[in-house]
Amino acid sequence: MTLHVDPEALRAFAAFLAETADAMGDWDIGEPYSTSESALPGTDFARVCARAADVTDQA
């Protein structure tokens, strides 16, 4: 089986993926968790938010 690929389309797709990856590098994924940590004082919610931020960062 032979696969024919338009090289220009492949280059455009690769450029799109590179731009998307660069943009994702600028995201602050921990921000929603850190702003929520104080939402439920007297509970373990801050600990859960911190753990969720760690897991999201690792993903």
Side-chain angles (χ1 to χ4, degrees):
M1 181 170 126
T2 302
L3 180 65
H4 297 279
V5 177
D6 178 353
E8 193 52 43
L10 191 56
R11 279 188 209 90
F13 183 61
F16 169 75
L17 291 179
E19 290 172 19
T20 302
D22 288 343
M24 289 174 69
D26 294 335
W27 293 352
D28 181 6
I29 58 93
E31 191 269 333
Y33 300 110
S34 63
T35 58
S36 300
E37 286 182 4
S38 61
L40 300 172
T43 68
D44 285 339
F45 195 65
R47 184 182 56 78
V48 171
C49 287
R51 177 69 180 131
D54 290 342
V55 170
T56 303
D57 187 43
Q58 291 173 6

